Amino acid sequence: MPVKGLGAYDTNNIFARILRGEIPSRRVYEDDFAIAFHDIAPQAPLHVLVIPRGPYISLADFTAKASEAEIAGFFRAVGSVAKQLDLETPGYRILANMGEDAGQEVPHFHVHLFGGKRLGAMLVAQG
Ligand code: 5GP
């Protein structure tokens, strides 16, 4: 069920549990502001999720409530992950689903990072 992207943060959502180490993940990066790990159902040869450490549901929630340091730190982390994975030269795509219309399923803000092949045209909508 897609989440609405607003409302109260669910402290037991799957990414909160990954952050606490209660559920295993294949981490590729971590710093004070963010962690990154492989998506469990990759949609490209390389599909990594970057999430802030703070409890934010969506981009709307993150940009409304996070500190300047958290916002800057998070987006720097996205760049660092891509660099660490050697994606800068071949290129990559980032994507964030926000709320119901975008089909956001996990109610903890995250950026998808795709790479490892020609990604084709940007997808706006299906059906
Ligand atoms: P959304 O649709 O919310 O933008 O993306 C959620 C993503 O989280 C999906 O790509 C899905 O495959 C991934 N995901 C869901 N549960 C888990 C999990 O337990 N571990 C990992 N590594 N990824 C997950």
Side-chain angles (χ1 to χ4, degrees), residues 3 14-15 18 23-26 37-43 47 49 95-98 102-108 110 112:
V3 297
I14 201 99
F15 292 172
I18 283 175
I23 290 178
S25 66
R26 292 168 55 213
F37 50 91
H38 288 279
D39 196 291
I40 204 166
Q43 296 187 42
H47 182 175
L49 301 167
L95 177 151
N97 291 315
M98 156 67 213
Q104 181 184 357
E105 285 183 354
V106 179
H108 182 112
H110 51 282
H112 297 256

Side-chain angles (χ1 to χ4, degrees), residues 40-103:
I40 204 166
Q43 296 187 42
L46 207 146
H47 182 175
V48 163
L49 301 167
V50 191
I51 73 173
R53 286 193 185 270
Y56 304 106
I57 300 168
S58 62
L59 182 70
D61 197 29
F62 185 60
T63 51
K65 296 184 192 154
S67 68
E68 313 281 305
E70 286 175 290
I71 293 171
F74 174 75
F75 283 102
R76 284 220 170 84
V78 176
S80 297
V81 171
K83 187 178 170 77
Q84 181 185 301
L85 295 172
D86 286 328
L87 289 171
E88 287 186 341
T89 299
Y92 58 95
R93 179 172 293 158
I94 63 171
L95 177 151
N97 291 315
M98 156 67 213
E100 244 179 325
D101 274 2

